[in-house]
């Protein structure tokens, strides 16, 4: 009987190729964790790759410069293993660069007795997950790679849990406080959205930290008397006693965040924003400073937009004004704002026709002139419930007959 009988024409590969153990191995390689080895000796790299080929998909590089290119092009990597002695930068400096690009990557340093003190310094600085002493045994290398893969999975699981829990809590907090302090937490919503988009566009590794810092940067506003809140929001001239209150914002914010675990980096971003960026202009704090640059630029954009300036004028001011802002952040904002304009249309709808996903295109006031929500507020289920509550408290609708909103095209 013909071995291909019953198979549709052209499907002979199903019976033969996919049963080939080499093909199966190559297909499985796609699911293996990736490990990058960096050493200036080709024979050492080949040996390292052969020892762990069953555990991972190994990559190799002869220099730190080439290693960074491979890391960027073929990542994410579970592990990067580097020799301490490399042309150009040394191994611990190279792994510090890797750590800044992907803090969840397990980094390992191959070192001999001669440079052991440098290696220990790298471990103490948090740039290295494990030291591998030369000469190493194949078994110790395999054990280290297995531990590094487990560490990456553990850190990623923790990251997902933290983000899902914290982001959900921050969203709930923002929605709630937006009804109490609509000016400041309307700003928090707008800045969180745009800063998050900019961070994603620039491949910032911790977008949630930027978004969380955007919300918490407005948190101290809850301590302001209502009579002074608008003056602070609009950056008007303030009385000395109000200036003193605003001067305490960093302390108030840090005290409030101090009770929430795992927010160390967010607190540093806000400290950088509200106190001084100078202590964070170091290699170790590169990510904190980058987050600050994003958040600071977007906040300045929001201040100027609220003041009534057009988007093009604001972007030109940010580029050429007295204050210095990162040109890459401004360019990213410009592109994203342009895309947003093409995605949304302005429409005027009665209160009853508002839907989740729309966005206010103007400040929403009651007939009494009370501000319910500022321009740019996202229409969520919570927000619609707030509007419904207002509506039920009046004999006739307290809202304008038509509300101007942005609607997705």
């Amino acid at each position: 009987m013909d071995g291909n009988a019953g198979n549709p024409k052209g499907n002979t590969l199903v019976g033969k190729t996919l049963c080939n153990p080499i093909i199966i191995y190559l297909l499985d390689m796609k699911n293996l964790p990736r490990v990058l080895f960096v050493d200036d000796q080709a024979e050492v790299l080949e040996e390292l790759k052969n020892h762990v080929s069953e555990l991972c998909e190994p990559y190799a590089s002869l220099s730190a410069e080439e290693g960074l290119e491979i890391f960027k092009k073929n990542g994410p990597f579970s592990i990067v293993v580097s020799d301490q002695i490399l042309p150009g930068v040394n191994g611990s400096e190279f792994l510090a660069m890797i750590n800044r690009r992907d803090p969840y990557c397990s980094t390992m340093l191959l070192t001999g007795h001669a440079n052991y003190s440098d290696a220990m310094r790298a471990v103490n600085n948090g740039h290295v997950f494990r030291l591998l002493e030369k000469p190493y045994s194949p078994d110790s290398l395999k054990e280290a790679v297995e531990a590094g893969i487990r560490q990456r999975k553990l850190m990623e699981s923790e990251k997902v849990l933290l983000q899902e829990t914290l982001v959900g809590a921050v969203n709930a907090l923002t929605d709630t406080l937006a009804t109490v302090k609509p000016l400041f937490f309307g700003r928090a919503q707008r800045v969180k959205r745009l800063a998050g988009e900019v961070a994603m566009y620039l491949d910032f590794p911790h977008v949630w930290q930027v978004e969380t810092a955007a919300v918490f940067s407005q948190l101290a506003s809850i301590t302001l008397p209502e009579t002074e809140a608008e003056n602070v929001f609009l950056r008007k001239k303030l009385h000395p006693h109000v200036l003193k209150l605003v001067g305490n914002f960093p302390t108030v914010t840090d005290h409030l965040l101090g009770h929430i675990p795992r927010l160390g980096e967010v607190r540093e971003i806000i400290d950088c924003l509200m106190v001084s960026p100078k202590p964070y202009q170091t290699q170790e704090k590169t990510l904190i400073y980058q987050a600050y640059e994003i958040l600071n630029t977007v906040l300045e954009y929001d201040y100027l937009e609220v003041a009534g300036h057009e988007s093009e004028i604001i972007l030109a001011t940010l580029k050429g004004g007295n204050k210095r802002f990162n040109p890459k952040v401004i360019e990213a904002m410009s592109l994203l704002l342009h895309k947003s304009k093409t995605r949304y249309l302005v429409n005027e709808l009665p209160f009853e026709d508002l839907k989740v996903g729309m966005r206010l295109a103007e400040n929403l006031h009651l007939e009494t002139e009370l501000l319910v929500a500022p321009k740019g507020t996202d229409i969520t289920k919570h927000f619609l419930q707030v509007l419904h509550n207002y509506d039920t408290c009046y004999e006739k609708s307290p809202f304008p007959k038509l509300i101007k909103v942005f609607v997705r095209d």
Side-chain angles (χ1 to χ4, degrees), residues 148-164:
I149 291 169
R150 287 196 301 271
Q151 175 70 4
R152 169 94 198 196
K153 289 179 178 177
L154 177 65
M155 291 183 71
E156 286 188 333
S157 298
E158 188 178 75
K159 177 185 74 171
V160 170
L161 179 61
L162 175 63
Q163 288 183 17
E164 289 181 352

Side-chain angles (χ1 to χ4, degrees), residues 24 52 84 91 106 112 172 174 210 231 235 266 269 306 311 313 319 329:
I24 292 173
V52 299
Q84 172 66 356
S106 300
T174 309
V210 176
N231 289 335
R235 298 201 288 196
V266 173
I269 295 167
V306 167
S311 181
I313 295 174
K319 287 178 184 177
V329 176

Side-chain angles (χ1 to χ4, degrees), residues 75-181:
F77 284 87
S78 293
I79 304 170
V80 175
V81 182
S82 175
D83 188 28
Q84 172 66 356
I85 301 174
L86 294 173
V89 301
N90 62 38
S92 56
E93 291 170 336
F94 166 66
L95 292 178
M97 296 177 195
I98 294 295
N99 186 261
R100 286 195 293 273
R101 284 164 173 77
D102 183 0
Y104 302 104
C105 179
S106 300
T107 51
M108 302 185 189
L109 193 64
L110 280 167
T111 182
H113 290 292
N115 44 39
Y116 198 75
S117 60
D118 290 340
M120 283 305 300
R121 194 177 303 113
V123 172
N124 292 334
N125 289 337
H127 299 147
V128 174
F129 167 66
R130 181 169 292 195
L131 289 180
L132 295 174
E133 191 175 352
K134 289 181 176 180
Y136 63 86
S137 69
D139 286 343
S140 66
L141 177 64
K142 289 178 182 178
E143 188 275 329
V145 167
E146 288 172 343
I149 291 169
R150 287 196 301 271
Q151 175 70 4
R152 169 94 198 196
K153 289 179 178 177
L154 177 65
M155 291 183 71
E156 286 188 333
S157 298
E158 188 178 75
K159 177 185 74 171
V160 170
L161 179 61
L162 175 63
Q163 288 183 17
E164 289 181 352
T165 304
L166 187 60
V167 169
V170 168
N171 288 340
L173 176 69
T174 309
D175 284 347
T176 302
L177 290 176
T179 62
V180 179
K181 292 279 186 180

Side-chain angles (χ1 to χ4, degrees), residues 254-275:
D254 194 65
H255 176 73
L256 291 169
L257 297 187
H259 298 289
I260 308 175
R262 306 297 180 90
L263 284 185
E265 290 86 357
V266 173
R267 291 170 71 183
E268 288 184 320
I269 295 167
I270 294 174
D271 183 65
C272 194
L273 179 73
M274 302 179 83
V275 181

Side-chain angles (χ1 to χ4, degrees), residues 9 12 46 55 96 130 142 171-172 279 300 349 356 366 371 381 398:
K9 186 177 180 180
T12 54
E46 198 61 34
L55 301 174
R130 181 169 292 195
K142 289 178 182 178
N171 288 340
E300 186 67 18
L349 300 172
V356 172
L366 299 181
L371 178 66
K381 285 184 179 179

Side-chain angles (χ1 to χ4, degrees), residues 210-377:
V210 176
E211 293 177 334
T212 304
V215 173
F216 288 143
S217 70
Q218 306 299 306
L219 194 58
S221 67
I222 61 177
T223 63
L224 285 172
E226 282 302 317
T227 51
E228 300 294 343
E230 187 172 349
N231 289 335
V232 174
F233 179 79
L234 296 174
R235 298 201 288 196
K236 292 182 177 180
K237 188 175 180 180
L238 304 174
H239 293 293
H241 70 280
V242 181
L243 281 172
K244 188 176 180 180
L245 285 175
V246 175
N248 286 332
F249 275 12
T251 305
V252 172
T253 303
D254 194 65
H255 176 73
L256 291 169
L257 297 187
H259 298 289
I260 308 175
R262 306 297 180 90
L263 284 185
E265 290 86 357
V266 173
R267 291 170 71 183
E268 288 184 320
I269 295 167
I270 294 174
D271 183 65
C272 194
L273 179 73
M274 302 179 83
V275 181
S276 172
K278 286 185 179 179
Y280 300 94
Q281 292 175 307
T282 63
Q283 275 197 339
E284 289 75 17
K285 298 295 182 181
T286 298
L287 290 177
I288 300 298
Y289 190 75
Q290 288 175 355
Y292 152 76
E293 287 189 306
I294 294 170
L295 188 51
N296 187 44
T297 309
V298 175
L299 271 168
E300 186 67 18
Y301 179 91
D302 194 77
Y303 282 126
L304 294 172
E305 187 179 44
V306 167
H309 300 290
E310 294 294 329
S311 181
E312 291 76 10
I313 295 174
I314 297 172
L315 292 169
T317 302
L318 294 177
K319 287 178 184 177
N322 294 328
K323 295 182 180 179
R324 297 184 65 182
F325 298 96
N326 189 318
K328 290 183 179 179
V329 176
I330 297 171
E331 183 183 355
M333 279 176 51
S334 180
L335 289 169
L336 291 165
L337 289 166
H338 177 72
K339 284 184 179 179
S340 179
K341 284 183 179 179
T342 60
R343 288 201 310 260
Y344 285 89
L345 299 174
V346 178
N347 205 345
E348 290 186 310
L349 300 172
F351 152 66
E352 296 82 6
D353 291 346
L354 297 182
K355 299 285 190 300
V356 172
M358 295 178 182
R359 189 180 299 164
L360 290 182
E362 61 183 358
N363 290 346
L364 178 60
H365 293 88
L366 299 181
E367 287 183 343
T368 59
E369 297 301 317
L370 174 70
L371 178 66
V372 176
K375 177 183 175 180
T377 298

